[in-house]
Amino acid sequence: MTVTHQDFEDAIAAYWGAKQLQNEQSAIKAAVGAGTAGSVRGGKHFDVIATLLAKFFLDAGFPPESIRVSKSQGLELPGYYRPQKQWDLVVVHQGVLVAAFEMKALGGPSFGNNYNNRVEEALGSAVDLRRAALAELYPKEKPWLGYFFIMQDGEGSRRPVKTAKGALLFDEIWHGTSYQDRFGIFCERLMAEQLYDAACYVTSSAENPKPIELVESLDWRHFSAAINGRLTYLKDLGIPG
């Protein structure tokens, strides 16, 4: 069965602890070894998102042992500027990096404290792995990278942010933007530069967990289509075989 938009909404709700996982998701979680709280790098909150994404690959015929969601399974991938970097969900089959996902969130009340950190983490992870691929550390097929981000919806993330007067003028696109706006621009630029092959960006909250998809090109529909596109490409090459 395919992963639906309702599955996505349920996963976001479960991220906030607002709903229990459906039985099918629980079975998938057990199959790929994501059962222990804190075993997924993003913590138990992102456990449910990892479970949802794992379903794409299980449904496509990849064996559970190819889908890594816990630290004990080995989530480290080779870097170029550092030996390794730990990702949040890694699918490796017969020596091919099928997909690697980074999953992050930004919450309040002080959104500014970690905003730059999230930007730098996403950039660093992608640039490091892409350069490692050029150095032929990833054999066979070109690596495929996905980025999943949840911004806590609230007054602090919706309000325009003041920009400091610096030594030089900043890009006018940032003028009068909120943290929600800024992360949408950031993710669009990640995609435009082909640092990630797919990005999903939503805002949500524990009070109102239904995800808000602010940017059409970064919504679940586009994200899931990109994952399915990767799976179709590999299927045509006989992967998994």
Side-chain angles (χ1 to χ4, degrees):
M1 295 181 65
T2 58
V3 180
T4 67
H5 198 280
Q6 187 60 55
D7 293 332
F8 161 63
E9 291 188 10
D10 289 347
I12 297 295
Y15 170 87
W16 295 108
K19 283 188 178 181
Q20 295 295 318
L21 287 173
Q22 294 178 347
N23 290 336
E24 183 185 11
Q25 290 177 314
S26 296
I28 294 166
K29 181 179 175 181
V32 298
T36 305
S39 66
V40 176
R41 183 174 178 269
K44 61 183 180 180
H45 293 295
F46 270 114
D47 191 6
V48 62
I49 307 299
T51 300
L52 178 70
L53 297 178
K55 187 177 188 299
F56 283 95
F57 301 94
L58 286 172
D59 287 352
F62 286 92
E65 57 268 23
S66 294
I67 304 167
R68 302 171 181 230
V69 295
S70 69
K71 291 180 181 180
S72 63
Q73 293 171 308
L75 292 167
E76 291 80 11
L77 290 173
Y80 183 79
Y81 301 101
R82 54 188 165 182
Q84 297 173 308
K85 192 271 177 186
Q86 192 177 81
W87 290 72
D88 294 310
L89 170 61
V90 173
V91 183
V92 175
H93 186 71
Q94 296 180 348
V96 174
L97 177 57
V98 174
F101 291 88
E102 185 93 327
M103 290 175 268
K104 296 293 182 184
L106 182 62
S110 182
F111 291 90
N113 285 347
N114 287 315
Y115 167 73
N116 282 335
N117 290 339
R118 294 293 176 266
V119 170
E120 291 161 9
E121 288 164 356
L123 284 171
S125 297
V127 169
D128 193 26
L129 192 147
R130 294 297 187 199
R131 185 62 185 85
L134 290 176
E136 300 182 350
L137 293 174
Y138 290 88
K140 301 180 181 179
E141 298 303 319
K142 178 182 175 182
W144 189 99
L145 305 180
Y147 187 63
F148 192 99
F149 194 87
I150 300 174
M151 171 83 71
Q152 183 180 349
D153 185 39
E155 178 59 30
S157 63
R158 295 190 217 110
R159 185 172 52 240
V161 182
K162 291 182 180 179
T163 306
K165 184 179 180 180
L168 294 169
L169 294 176
F170 60 88
D171 189 338
E172 276 298 309
I173 196 172
W174 305 108
H175 182 73
T177 53
S178 65
Y179 284 117
Q180 290 191 12
D181 298 328
R182 290 182 178 190
F183 228 89
I185 295 168
F186 169 62
C187 288
E188 285 184 302
R189 290 185 168 185
L190 285 178
M191 293 291 291
E193 294 293 325
Q194 299 181 355
L195 291 171
Y196 288 86
D197 297 282
C200 185
Y201 166 53
V202 303
T203 68
S204 180
S205 68
E207 297 75 21
N208 296 293
K210 183 166 181 168
I212 302 168
E213 299 167 279
L214 296 174
V215 183
E216 183 178 3
S217 63
L218 304 171
D219 65 11
W220 175 255
R221 187 169 61 98
H222 285 79
F223 190 65
S224 60
I227 297 172
N228 285 322
R230 173 65 166 177
L231 293 171
T232 298
Y233 169 81
L234 293 175
K235 181 180 179 182
D236 289 347
L237 296 175
I239 303 171

